[in-house]
Amino acid sequence: MEHEPLLMIPGPVPIPQRVRAAMTRQAINHRGPEFGAAYADCVRTLKTLFGTANELYIISGSGSAGMEAGVANFARDKRIVSLVNGKFGDRFAKIGARYGTVTVLESGWGTPLDLAALERELEAGAEVVTMVHNETSAGIKNPAPEVGKLARKHDALFIMDGVTSIGGDDVRMDEWGVDIAVVGSQKCLAAPAGLAAIAVGERAWDRISEKRPFYLDMAAYRKSGSGTPMETPYTPAVPLFLALCEACKIIEEEGVPARAARHRRMTEAVRAAAKGWGVDLFPQLDEYHAYSNTVTAMRLPEGVTDKDLRGTVKQFGIEIAGGQDHLKGKIFRIGTMGGVGAQEILATLAAVQFALKKSNVAAGDGVEAAAEVLLG
C-alpha cells in the first residue's frame, strides 16, 4: 500500500482488493445466466441502498449518464425547475436545457435552496424538479424530503441525483416521494467508475417520453431487464458489473445501516478536526439543509494557499480535493466515501494538520478531536 495513493476526495475512492480482483477474470457471456445473476444481485442490494421497491437498472456510463437518462426519458419537452447550489446542480440544469424548458433556481454554492421559489414555480405549472441530494462541490446536503413533498403536492416528477449519498447516507427514495434517482459506482459504493444505476417509479413510467434516446432508452432497459436471465439492451461493461457485484457483497456484509453510520462517523470526525484547527466549514445551513455525510468542505485559512495545503498533503501520498470553478483556491474538501475507516481518516487529518502548521497557521490539535469522535 505504501506506493499507492490514498484518495480522500469525493470520488473516485479507494477500491477494495476483492473488487479489483473481480475485474481480472476471463470474460463471460453477457447474455448468459451468470451475468444475469450478477446483475440481479446488484439490483437487489442497490434497491436497499436507494430505499426503494421501484424498478432499478444499471447503465454502462458514469453518474452523469444516469442523470441524462432521467431527464431525457422523463422530462423531454417539459417545464423543468432545476435547483442549483453547486457544480452538479448546475450540471443537472444544463442537461435539462438540452431536453426541456428550464427555470434555474440558483443559490450561492453551499447556501440553502429557495423552497418558497420552488413552490411558486410548481404552482405556475412546472412539471419536473431536478436536484442534487448531496452537493459535493460545496459539502452541503439538500432537503430531498421537503422537495419531494412539494413535487407530489403539485403532481410534478422529482428527479434526484443521489450519486454521492446513496450507499453512504440514509436515503429513502419511496418515502421521500422521489420518482427517479441515480447513483454512480465510484463514490460510496466503492466500485470502479463507469456504471450508473437508475431507479424509476410508476409515476415516471406513466409519463415516459415517446421520443427517447437510443443508448439511454429506459424503456429498452426495462424490457431487457424483465427477462430471465436479466440483461441490458446493449453490450455492458462486464468487468465493471462483476466488480460492482463484489462491492455489493461487501456492502451486505457490513449492513446498510452500519455503512451509513460509519460514513456519518467519519465525516463527524473530520468536522471535529476542523473545529479543533479553527478552520471554518464552508456550507451555510438552515433548518432544512445539513452538512454532507460523505465529504467535508472547509475554507482555506487566511495566508494558506491551495498549493501549500494540498501540495504538502500530497507529499505523504494522500490526495484531498480543492475547490471547483470559482471556489478554486478558496476551499478544500476531504472525502469520506466507500470503505475508508479510522486509519485513513487519522492519516489524512495528521497530514492536513502538519500542512497547516507548516504554513504558520496556529492550528490546534484537530487529530485528537477526530480521534475522540472515532473512538466514541
Side-chain angles (χ1 to χ4, degrees):
M1 288 294 291
E2 183 178 351
H3 301 293
E4 291 188 343
L6 174 58
L7 293 177
M8 297 298 287
I9 60 178
V13 304
I15 301 172
Q17 181 58 39
R18 281 171 56 184
V19 177
R20 286 188 278 180
M23 291 188 289
T24 64
R25 58 167 296 179
Q26 183 57 271
I28 62 173
N29 178 11
H30 63 280
R31 300 298 180 210
E34 185 179 5
F35 176 81
Y39 188 0
D41 281 346
C42 290
V43 167
R44 175 175 47 78
T45 302
L46 290 170
K47 282 186 176 184
T48 304
L49 296 174
F50 276 67
T52 188
N54 292 323
E55 297 171 39
L56 185 147
Y57 303 102
I58 300 174
I59 296 168
S60 294
S62 69
S64 295
M67 294 166 71
E68 184 160 7
V71 172
N73 284 271
F74 304 103
R76 184 183 289 274
D77 299 326
K78 290 183 170 64
R79 293 178 57 183
I80 305 167
V81 178
S82 288
L83 298 169
V84 177
N85 61 352
K87 183 177 182 68
F88 298 100
D90 180 64
R91 179 174 297 180
F92 232 159
K94 288 175 178 175
I95 293 170
R98 297 287 183 100
Y99 297 97
T101 302
V102 174
T103 297
V104 178
L105 297 182
E106 186 166 9
S107 308
W109 286 26
T111 67
L113 299 169
D114 190 340
L115 299 182
L118 170 60
E119 180 146 38
R120 289 193 294 271
E121 290 297 328
L122 290 166
E123 289 172 348
E127 301 163 279
V128 178
V129 180
T130 67
M131 188 196 76
V132 174
H133 182 214
N134 187 63
E135 182 56 80
T136 54
S137 66
I140 191 169
K141 181 164 67 172
N142 290 321
E146 287 73 20
V147 172
K149 188 179 298 183
L150 288 173
R152 286 296 172 101
K153 178 181 176 181
H154 296 281
D155 195 32
L157 293 181
F158 178 21
I159 308 177
M160 186 185 82
D161 170 344
V163 169
T164 58
S165 59
I166 294 170
D169 203 348
D170 181 30
V171 176
R172 305 182 184 187
M173 176 180 175
D174 294 355
E175 182 180 321
W176 295 346
V178 179
D179 297 289
I180 299 149
V182 178
V183 75
S185 55
Q186 81 278 21
K187 307 289 187 175
C188 302
L189 304 182
L195 296 178
I198 178 169
V200 182
E202 283 303 321
R203 293 174 73 246
W205 286 120
D206 290 342
R207 306 179 194 191
I208 191 169
S209 174
E210 293 184 5
K211 185 180 180 182
R212 300 184 295 273
F214 184 82
Y215 185 71
L216 298 177
D217 181 356
M218 290 312 302
Y221 273 88
R222 190 183 204 190
K223 181 179 179 181
S224 294
S226 65
T228 303
M230 194 173 188
E231 296 182 9
T232 57
Y234 317 112
T235 304
V238 174
L240 299 184
F241 270 78
L242 297 177
L244 178 59
C245 187
E246 193 64 34
C248 286
K249 290 177 183 176
I250 293 173
I251 290 168
E252 290 194 325
E253 290 165 8
E254 181 176 18
V256 173
R259 192 176 186 86
R262 175 173 56 80
H263 277 79
R264 185 163 52 249
R265 186 170 63 254
M266 298 302 110
T267 310
E268 286 172 351
V270 177
R271 293 200 293 264
K275 184 176 180 180
W277 296 327
V279 171
D280 293 330
L281 299 177
F282 179 69
Q284 301 173 38
L285 307 183
D286 65 6
E287 60 182 310
Y288 299 114
H289 295 72
Y291 293 120
S292 166
N293 275 330
T294 61
V295 63
T296 303
M298 294 160 274
R299 295 182 183 275
L300 275 168
E302 190 73 28
V304 181
T305 69
D306 182 82
K307 182 179 179 181
D308 291 336
L309 182 70
R310 294 201 300 131
T312 299
V313 170
K314 194 167 184 178
Q315 290 179 23
F316 291 99
I318 302 170
E319 291 192 37
I320 61 175
Q324 296 172 291
D325 296 352
H326 64 282
L327 292 182
K328 285 182 180 178
K330 297 180 179 179
I331 68 171
F332 66 101
R333 298 171 297 146
I334 297 176
T336 43
M337 299 177 185
V340 299
Q343 291 175 307
E344 291 86 359
I345 296 293
L346 291 175
T348 302
L349 297 178
V352 172
Q353 184 164 296
F354 175 81
L356 290 171
K357 290 187 174 182
K358 187 178 179 183
S359 297
N360 297 316
V361 173
D365 195 346
V367 176
E368 181 178 351
E372 293 289 347
V373 173
L374 294 170
L375 290 176

